[in-house]
Amino acid sequence: MNYYDEIEKLKKEKDVLILAHYYVNDEVQDIADKIGDSFQLAKEAQNATNKIICFCGVHFMGECAKILNSDKKVIVPDINAGCAMADMVDIEAIKNVKKSAPDTAIVSYVNTTAEVKSYSDVCVTSSNAIKIISQIPNKNIYFLPDRNLGSYIAKQFPEKNFSFNPGYCKYHNFVDEKEILELKKDTGYDVLVHPECREEVVELGDCIGSTKALLEYVKETKKNGYIVCTEEGIIHQMKKVCPDSIFISPKSMNKCSDMKMNSIEKVYNAILNEGPEIILDEKMSKRAFIPLKRMMELG
Ligand code: 13P
Ligand code: SF4
């Protein structure tokens, strides 16, 4: 079966918008209506007018789409594609902060479950965190769950007191600074770093930013080569904007196995069956909408 043709047909028949994150398999990126970082995709989902949104990413991204545009049916190719970092949050710890230090702003990375968002004051992504936090009046910030992104952001706000939840991305956290230094020494290529990497790696970055920001940097600089310290799926788009450059994915940067669960066959089946569907508790979803809406407004 030619999945591309079949998906194109079904998409029109059922009025489906396919959104895909930069980390999913190349074949899925190629069938998507929109590809983007988590903030771009949240905006696309919020503004979608189609009956169905097929979200190719990980679970929290599908949840965001559903929370922001609750009238739509949101389906995902694989309901088991999750984000380990999103599951690292201790909700009791948030409740304790809210009780013991009520003047603290609970700032949640968008890589969190809907339940965690429902206890948060505002959400951020790596592309808008600095802009959003600069508009928050609170001096005390509890940032969760990514300690690496959190400490990168905290450095930009020396006047604020940050405390953190000890979460991390099980891929970005293990990028090895020694390997990056060696690669840089051998090639002279620019180092592109997602702020989910540890500080030692972030310090080596010629460009530090969200997946979209890294892609924009490649588009603008068009250098001979780049060392890409984020999930290798983004290289598919980097090659499109800069076909003559060389892109190195470090050995210590492993693929996100959950993002890779989005196959073209599963996209086809999801659209055909209109499921698996993201179903959320209505009350919780309404509470989670508040910090997400704030992100959309401030970001
Ligand atoms: P972006 O917001 O940069 O797309 O990052 C999402 C993510 O999960 C990175 O691991
Ligand atoms: Fe989550 Fe890391 Fe995968 Fe991003 S790369 S979705 S943070 S596990």
Side-chain angles (χ1 to χ4, degrees), residues 23 58 83 85 111 169 171-172 196 256 259:
Y23 293 166
V58 288
C83 169
M85 172 159 55
N111 297 37
C169 166
Y171 306 105
H172 286 88
E196 284 178 12
C256 176
M259 285 285 188

Side-chain angles (χ1 to χ4, degrees), residues 21 23 37-38 60-61 109 111 125-126 172 194 196 210-211:
H21 189 268
Y23 293 166
D37 69 4
S38 42
F60 76 82
M61 296 180 177
Y109 191 21
N111 297 37
T125 75
S126 53
H172 286 88
H194 196 284
E196 284 178 12
S210 75
T211 46

